[in-house]
């Protein structure tokens, strides 16, 4: 079997929704080579070739697969976490077995727009992040050249839900 084991390494409640959990898990094999094949097969996946990540949204759950590990947000509970790990293992092994029949796809099909990210920023244009405007910061976040931690106002209590939305969009892009 190509991917033999996925082992959970971290689990805790989601920050904005304590009813749900997020978790991380580690693969027994580096599966980076398979990600472009899964990208070709799973039509709504978001593949980021630069950082070798592939994200799949399953209703409200966000599943990001990296070469050697997995990060999942908004899972319902621990038993669902194990089901998701089994699903990922099956997806990887099934794709590996069929890889000679699949044309790998290295491009990202779609990603959140700058305006979608901007919508959730504080829109103060205060320049504390080092950018002239929040819009410029949103664009840098999407290109992976800025970290959300540089925007201090988004960490204020009133912006908690907006921060989570931005984090989910960044996770969709494969950024941790
Ligand atoms: S620190 Fe945040 S609120 Fe201030 S300009 Fe940057 S993105 Fe906008």
């Amino acid at each position: 079997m190509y991917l033999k084991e996925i082992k959970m390494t971290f689990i805790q409640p989601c920050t904005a929704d304590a009813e749900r959990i997020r978790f991380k898990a580690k693969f027994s094999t580096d599966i980076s080579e398979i990600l472009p094949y899964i990208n070709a097969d799973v039509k709504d996946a978001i593949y980021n070739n630069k950082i070798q990540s592939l994200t799949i949204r399953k209703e409200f759950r966000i599943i990001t697969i990296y070469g050697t590990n997995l990060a999942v947000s908004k899972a319902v509970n621990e038993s669902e976490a194990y089901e998701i790990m089994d699903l990922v293992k099956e997806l990887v092994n099934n794709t590996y077995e069929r890889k000679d029949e699949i044309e790998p796809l290295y491009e990202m099909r779609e990603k959140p727009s700058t305006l979608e990210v901007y919508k959730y920023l504080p829109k103060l244009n205060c320049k504390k992040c080092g950018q002239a405007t929040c819009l410029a910061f949103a664009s840098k976040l999407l290109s992976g050249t800025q970290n959300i931690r540089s925007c201090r106002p988004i960490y204020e209590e009133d912006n908690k839900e907006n921060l989570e939305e931005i984090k989910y969009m960044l996770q969709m892009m494969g950024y941790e």
Side-chain angles (χ1 to χ4, degrees), residues 44 55-63 74 168 172:
D44 56 355
T55 302
I56 301 165
R57 199 163 197 156
K58 203 167 171 285
E59 295 170 59
F60 45 82
R61 305 158 188 89
I62 301 173
I63 303 167
K74 295 190 178 183
Y168 291 132
M172 292 292 288

Side-chain angles (χ1 to χ4, degrees), residues 9-61:
T9 53
F10 166 91
I11 182 164
Q12 70 171 212
C14 286
T15 338
D17 184 354
E19 300 285 299
R20 303 206 184 277
I21 58 159
R22 60 195 180 103
F23 70 92
K24 291 183 181 178
K26 197 169 168 40
F27 300 144
S28 55
T29 313
D30 185 337
I31 61 147
S32 306
E33 58 166 335
I34 294 302
L35 297 180
Y37 292 86
I38 300 177
N39 186 36
D41 238 17
V42 180
K43 303 301 175 211
D44 56 355
I46 297 181
Y47 176 60
N48 189 336
N49 191 35
K50 205 161 86 182
I51 56 172
Q52 303 264 291
S53 72
L54 182 128
T55 302
I56 301 165
R57 199 163 197 156
K58 203 167 171 285
E59 295 170 59
F60 45 82
R61 305 158 188 89

Side-chain angles (χ1 to χ4, degrees), residues 93-139:
N93 285 326
N94 184 282
T95 308
Y96 180 78
E97 276 168 28
R98 295 181 302 109
K99 84 179 187 6
D100 293 341
E101 304 157 18
I102 306 170
E103 183 71 33
L105 178 65
Y106 294 87
E107 286 158 25
M108 188 183 290
R109 280 204 198 79
E110 61 166 302
K111 62 177 182 179
S113 70
T114 302
L115 279 177
E116 276 174 283
V117 176
Y118 170 74
K119 199 167 82 181
Y120 293 102
L121 284 171
K123 303 184 196 71
L124 300 173
N125 294 329
C126 66
K127 302 184 174 66
K128 285 180 187 158
C129 57
Q131 298 301 312
T133 62
C134 297
L135 193 62
F137 184 70
S139 165

